[in-house]
Amino acid sequence: MVRNAAIVGGGHADWGKREATWKDLAQEAGKATFDDVDGLGPDDVEGLFVGAVQPERFAFQSHVAPLAAELLGVNASKMIARTELACASGQAALRYAWLAIAAGQLDVALVLGVEKMNLGDEYMGETQASMTNVLDREFDGVNGLNAPSFFSMYAQRHMHEYDTTREQLAQVSVKNKRHAANNPYAQFQQDVDVDDVLDSFPVAPPLCLLDCSGITDGAAGLLLVSEEKARELTDTAAYVTGSGQSCMASNSINNLPSMSAWPQATQAAEEAYEQAGIDDPVEELDVAEVHDCFSISEIIEYEDLGWVEKGEGGQFIEDGRSELDGDIAVNPRGGLLGCGHPLGATGVSQALEVYKQFTGEVESARQVPDSPETGLIHNLSGSGSVHSVMTLARDPQ
Amino acid sequence: MTDTDDEVPRRTVTIPDRIELPRLLDFYDLQDADHTRIHEFYDRLREGSLSTTQCADCGELHFPPRVVCPECTSDDLEYVSLPHEGTLHAFSTVRGSPIGMDTPFGTGVVDLDGVDVQLSARIDGAEYDDLAIGDPVSLVITEIDGPTDQQRVFYRFEPQGDNE
Ligand SMILES: [Zn+2]
């Protein structure tokens, strides 16, 4: 028994440096989600899936799925779990909800992603220390490999091997922050230009501050329901059409397949494309929310998601092919670079954005033109060791 | 019901201003045989040799060292020495001050000479602008002072010739 499942709505807490706790954020996103969907309330939710990466470190709290269930009055009568897959935890939560519905175990799932990361500037060292342990802490985290220094080496290698330019990296930030400037829940709602990026603080050379996503408090929720339920509720839904993941038995530096490519992204994408019946992603995908944790990441993803030849990712952004009116509108939400990156919430927010692009409910300045009907979300996690790809469409096949 | 009630007893609880670095915020493992089955890696490093495990059954060379071979699941592993020289595959600077770390400092990925091992390491003794991909680097043993009584060590690398 394999059944279709679809997103029928959702909502966000405001993202940024919030004067609010993990529990506050969960409640805000839950309310926004239920407020968005007519015909479904907490009592209807049979499954609750919560993406959360480090509540133990950032909020001194574990077992957060039942905590969220209590806060939102959700019975979760059939299934409840928290997912932890570092930066892809939100998509992992969505994937498990999809599988539960596809398997006929439940009809209505709440997928929630919540992360509280800002403990106050005086405690940033504690936050940074916690972020280094997504790699093998004993052998990699110990060397200070937090996200900026780690991904900066991918930028350095990609520039070294493929002549990708600093300006091309900056163009990714410019594009995504332009979209975020029109996104009311985004952490960074300010336009920047290429010079702003290049002149910003060299956090981890060759990457500068504006090449980096933020340390973000945030939460997002969505309701994923069976096709039968979706058709009762709405005419416009976002159906999951494919989902792939790949890890390649890698996590620590010595075992990563490359420091300028992510073959795991290629494997995960090919799996998802095959399930969705996508032969030519550039031709067939209208909108994509990809994991731009750093500017370099989006450039590598153009290549390894199969949209352009290896090494030509820099040219892809330079030629405007990922703009709203380009070949694939990439990160109209504003991306991680513009919205910030509350780890567990990001994947949920990306999927919700694709749904909102289908329904036309986003701000006009970042609406993908010509009624998009197909979309993709992508997350990498940790050292880029795992890549997760999900395809969505207005119509189930 | 009243807003305030002077009769409600009040007491004070005192939380200490400082506590010793808790075990789970120490980046370095306890390295002795009482705490880790890869203590031989640390014992050899303390004696001046970088090493790792190799599978006696399938020959796979691991890094980091293991207790079970990920290739064939054998637990018949032996320690072998690794070269102390390599070249910089990539490098950057760490800022943002993870707790207990003396930022800023250099970090990088080193290709060890002559073996298929690539490891991350702090890069001492050079600024970012002084380094280039492919630069030769060599091992530095770093002794870790505190917060336990154990004599702990770790490895770093620095540009070759720094000590000559
Ligand atoms: Zn073996």
Side-chain angles (χ1 to χ4, degrees), chain A residues 275-304:
Chain A
Q275 292 172 20
I278 292 171
D279 296 320
D280 181 349
V282 175
E283 191 63 35
E284 296 175 55
L285 290 171
D286 297 328
V287 52
E289 287 285 318
V290 305
H291 200 93
D292 58 327
C293 48
F294 296 89
S295 53
I296 180 60
S297 312
E298 185 168 316
I299 285 178
I300 297 176
E301 287 150 13
Y302 297 152
E303 300 167 357
D304 293 334

Side-chain angles (χ1 to χ4, degrees), chain A residues 57 137-138 140 157 202 254, chain B residues 24 29 42 89 95 120:
Chain A
R57 283 293 203 194
R137 190 261 313 137
E138 185 181 8
D140 293 325
R157 289 300 310 184
N254 186 44
Chain B
L24 293 180
D29 272 14
Y42 290 111
H89 184 77
R95 296 194 171 88
S120 67

Side-chain angles (χ1 to χ4, degrees), chain B residues 54-60 62 68-74 76-77:
Chain B
Q54 184 165 28
C55 180
D57 283 337
C58 78
E60 178 79 4
H62 317 125
V68 170
C69 175
E71 281 298 305
C72 73
T73 72
S74 168
D76 187 7
L77 312 184

